[in-house]
Amino acid sequence: SAGSREANKGVCSGDSGSGLFVKVGGSTNLVAIQSSVLNPTICNSPKNSAYYVPIRNHACWIAKTLIPYNIIPSFASSSCK
């Protein structure tokens, strides 16, 4: 998986836009979206790092963008109008 410290697993430049998920209790939550990688010439290496954008500041925009496709993200709050 992306960001893993295991050999032959890590981020690549083509992973941009992928979600970073965290399990809390029995729930899996989207917390950030990958923006870019530190070194685009290195793939699948635990030595490469990625930059992630937290979704908390963009949750309403993401929700509004997905709603026309009948996708209602669990993080979409009633405050997103």
Side-chain angles (χ1 to χ4, degrees):
S1 64
S4 173
R5 296 203 181 274
E6 298 175 37
N8 298 319
K9 292 187 177 181
V11 293
C12 288
S13 59
D15 294 338
S16 295
S18 299
L20 175 65
F21 295 87
V22 174
K23 261 192 172 175
V24 178
S27 172
T28 303
N29 302 292
L30 175 67
V31 295
I33 296 174
Q34 184 181 332
S35 175
S36 61
V37 294
L38 184 61
N39 189 337
T41 61
I42 299 174
C43 278
N44 296 322
S45 169
K47 295 181 179 178
N48 201 6
S49 298
Y51 298 103
Y52 289 88
V53 177
I55 67 157
R56 68 180 167 271
N57 297 331
H58 308 284
C60 287
W61 179 86
I62 294 168
K64 289 176 186 177
T65 302
L66 294 175
I67 287 171
Y69 301 98
N70 294 320
I71 300 170
I72 312 300
S74 60
F75 57 78
S77 69
S78 59
S79 64
C80 296
K81 304 260 187 234

